Amino acid sequence: MRMVDLIIKKRQGIELTEEEIRFWITGYVNGEIPDYQSSAMQMAILFKGMTKKETSILTDAMEHSGETLDLSNINGVKVDKHSTGGVGDKTSLVLGPMVAACGGVVAKLSGRGLGHTGGTLDKLESIPGLTISIEGKRFEEQVNKIGLAIAGQTKSLVPADKKMYALRDVTGTVESIPLIAASVMSKKLASGSDAILLDVTVGDGAFMKNMDSARELAQLMVEIGKNLGRNTKAIISDMSEPLGFAVGNSLEVKEAIASLQGHGPSDLMELCYTAGSIMLVQSGLSKNVEEARKALEENVANGKAFEKFCLMIEAQGGDISYIKDPSKFEMAKNIVPVYATEEGYISNIKALTIGVSSMKLGGGRETLEDTIDMSAGIVLAKKIGDFVKKGDILCTIYTNKDEKTYKEIIQEILSAYSYSQFKIEHTSVIKEVIE
Ligand code: URA
């Protein structure tokens, strides 16, 4: 078999066989197939697509390209959640403790941020002392003891995705539905949870820009998960404006702490309550989503969800004094308000522009080798639907960059805002649930 023939076959839109897909993935992971051929194949897939059968085979081949986790030493129904990425998305930090406080078992492997999207691991690492490198027995013991762990993926888990994702990132082949589905689901399946809840984001700050493509991706991933024996459901959530108010690592941790103490932004809390309710039903801990939501609300109100968060931070070596007193987090040197240049109801805050601006302020990385300034980012003062007068504060930037640099970024931030003279209807962050 020759890789070039498979590329041509896919370029012609012909379905690849199981043997051909496995030949590609095995050869690519062990170095026999070079980046340029794999890249050409990914581009052919981006243009010609894949059938459901091909996508399932690709997912399975990627899942088994390295070691898979066996969570059988962890008691109970293990439930995992994965978001396809967004701006200000600190959901895992809030949702994990909420679900664990209700008796759920959350053994979660998370990722790092790249480009305009943030990553849960980076956010957690803004807490001094905290490690995300917990593997094997330590991971199992922590989940068995407190019902919650958020760790980084080990090097040997789904090596095919590590190579393919890095290649997609630099060859313009990220936005392919079968490639995203196989990337996400191979990691979720290899991580060993019994139940999976997917949060497929849609809008300006997401990979999926419209509902049709978000629905197609969500349905495809749910089908793959179910076919491979996992209880899989998906939410489609809005990512046209950033989620919550804070964007940037320690700024988001502080917002997560406030949320677990009952002071969360309404869009973030709605997403956490909806996702958490589905996860508790998937775990068999609640009969229906109404009962589950009540349990989640109670555990936020009585402080148990916050307690779980503290237990996780301590178990992973984090300095708990920062959680008890978030004013201890190091502040950026420059904290600069950004003022409205127009009057009206805010009709749009482009999440992509805010995410890229936060990255440029130091809060994100352009390449995986970049280091992050944990204190950098943006805190919104207003959201879509709010009325502002000229000169009102729209948001505040936090940065250690020099004045010339941040002044240019402020102009980009201002370009993210649109205004309307008419009142804007508030729409729910939850667009659809796919079961
Ligand atoms: N998240 C992933 O893990 N993979 C993708 O391809 C896109 C988002």
Side-chain angles (χ1 to χ4, degrees):
M1 202 177 290
R2 293 190 322 153
M3 186 61 194
V4 63
D5 297 326
L6 307 190
I7 297 168
I8 292 167
K9 189 172 173 186
K10 180 44 72 187
R11 195 190 71 195
Q12 291 169 339
I14 303 169
E15 188 178 55
L16 299 174
T17 65
E18 171 155 6
E19 201 191 352
E20 288 165 340
I21 293 171
R22 291 193 190 280
F23 171 82
W24 164 35
I25 297 303
T26 313
Y28 183 50
V29 171
N30 67 24
E32 281 161 19
I33 293 171
D35 277 351
Y36 56 82
Q37 285 193 310
S38 197
S39 166
M41 175 61 94
Q42 288 175 165
M43 189 59 88
I45 292 171
L46 184 122
F47 281 114
K48 295 293 177 179
M50 275 187 137
T51 61
K52 281 185 188 159
K53 189 170 162 214
E54 284 176 300
T55 313
S56 289
I57 296 165
L58 176 62
T59 307
D60 189 66
M62 288 172 69
E63 178 194 345
H64 294 101
S65 62
E67 80 173 22
T68 54
L69 281 192
D70 173 9
L71 302 184
S72 57
N73 288 331
I74 298 177
N75 310 320
V77 178
K78 276 76 68 182
V79 59
D80 197 356
K81 168 255 166 197
H82 185 91
S83 159
T84 54
V87 179
D89 187 355
K90 68 283 292 171
T91 312
S92 294
L93 300 181
V94 183
L95 178 62
M98 278 167 58
V99 171
C102 296
V105 182
V106 184
K108 184 157 172 45
L109 298 186
S110 285
R112 298 206 175 271
L114 193 61
H116 72 281
T117 63
T120 302
L121 298 184
D122 301 318
K123 291 168 203 184
L124 277 172
E125 281 180 343
S126 72
I127 302 165
L130 186 136
T131 178
I132 49 88
S133 305
I134 42 171
E135 290 181 24
K137 274 236 146 337
R138 183 172 169 194
F139 184 76
E140 285 172 12
E141 277 168 17
Q142 182 178 323
V143 182
N144 272 333
K145 196 162 163 217
I146 65 171
L148 172 66
I150 303 181
Q153 265 178 60
T154 58
K155 279 207 177 63
S156 42
L157 204 82
V158 198
D161 184 60
K162 285 196 188 72
K163 281 189 88 171
M164 289 167 73
Y165 197 83
L167 197 59
R168 284 167 60 209
D169 202 44
V170 292
T171 55
T173 49
V174 171
E175 289 90 349
S176 150
I177 288 179
L179 293 180
I180 295 177
S183 162
V184 170
M185 291 310 290
S186 61
K187 284 179 289 200
K188 292 295 103 182
L189 294 164
S191 314
S193 280
D194 307 301
I196 301 163
L197 176 67
L198 302 157
D199 175 12
V200 176
T201 48
V202 62
D204 183 70
F207 290 124
M208 298 295 113
K209 302 293 179 201
N210 58 57
M211 272 306 285
D212 283 348
S213 56
R215 200 176 287 122
E216 191 184 331
L217 175 62
Q219 279 167 346
L220 181 59
M221 292 196 292
V222 168
E223 202 173 320
I224 292 171
K226 281 185 181 166
N227 285 345
L228 294 170
R230 310 290 170 91
N231 179 340
T232 312
K233 295 182 195 289
I235 286 175
I236 300 178
S237 72
D238 184 46
M239 189 45 74
S240 45
E241 68 176 334
L243 188 64
F245 291 97
V247 181
N249 296 286
S250 67
L251 298 169
E252 291 191 43
V253 169
K254 287 193 219 174
E255 188 165 69
I257 293 169
S259 302
L260 286 164
Q261 293 173 330
H263 312 293
S266 56
D267 55 351
L268 172 65
M269 293 316 289
E270 185 53 34
L271 181 55
C272 288
Y273 283 129
T274 306
S277 303
I278 296 171
M279 288 164 79
L280 288 179
V281 174
Q282 283 179 302
S283 306
L285 292 165
S286 299
K287 283 200 285 296
N288 52 49
V289 286
E290 291 77 20
E291 185 187 293
R293 189 174 177 122
K294 235 175 117 207
L296 291 161
E297 284 172 351
E298 265 169 34
N299 278 280
V300 172
N302 64 20
K304 294 217 167 109
F306 178 61
E307 233 169 76
K308 275 287 174 208
F309 182 72
C310 293
L311 288 173
M312 178 184 78
I313 301 305
E314 269 180 323
Q316 296 187 209
D319 185 343
I320 200 73
S321 69
Y322 283 73
I323 309 303
K324 300 272 157 85
D325 176 12
S327 69
K328 280 187 76 172
F329 278 98
E330 198 177 315
M331 287 295 231
K333 269 203 317 272
N334 302 307
I335 300 174
V336 186
V338 178
Y339 299 105
T341 50
E342 284 180 46
E343 175 171 310
Y345 294 94
I346 297 175
S347 57
N348 200 8
I349 309 174
K350 285 189 190 151
L352 180 60
T353 310
I354 299 293
V356 171
S357 300
S358 170
M359 177 188 78
K360 289 182 181 169
L361 290 168
R365 53 170 80 79
E366 253 163 298
T367 73
L368 270 175
E369 287 73 40
D370 290 348
T371 49
I372 290 184
D373 176 355
M374 292 298 183
S375 65
I378 301 170
V379 177
L380 306 181
K382 306 280 179 190
K383 299 270 286 182
I384 291 179
D386 288 340
F387 183 79
V388 286
K389 289 211 252 351
K390 212 169 156 179
D392 282 353
I393 296 178
L394 286 177
C395 63
T396 302
I397 60 161
Y398 293 71
T399 187
N400 289 306
K401 300 269 179 195
D402 59 61
E403 190 174 343
K404 184 175 173 292
T405 308
Y406 75 66
K407 281 199 160 156
E408 276 168 21
I409 299 170
I410 286 177
Q411 291 312 310
E412 289 172 30
I413 292 173
L414 285 170
S415 76
Y417 287 79
S418 310
Y419 303 86
S420 160
Q421 293 321 307
F422 306 102
K423 212 168 163 31
I424 304 291
E425 279 308 312
H426 175 78
T427 56
S428 171
V429 67
I430 308 295
K431 297 284 173 205
E432 225 166 276
V433 175
I434 309 256
E435 312 209 51

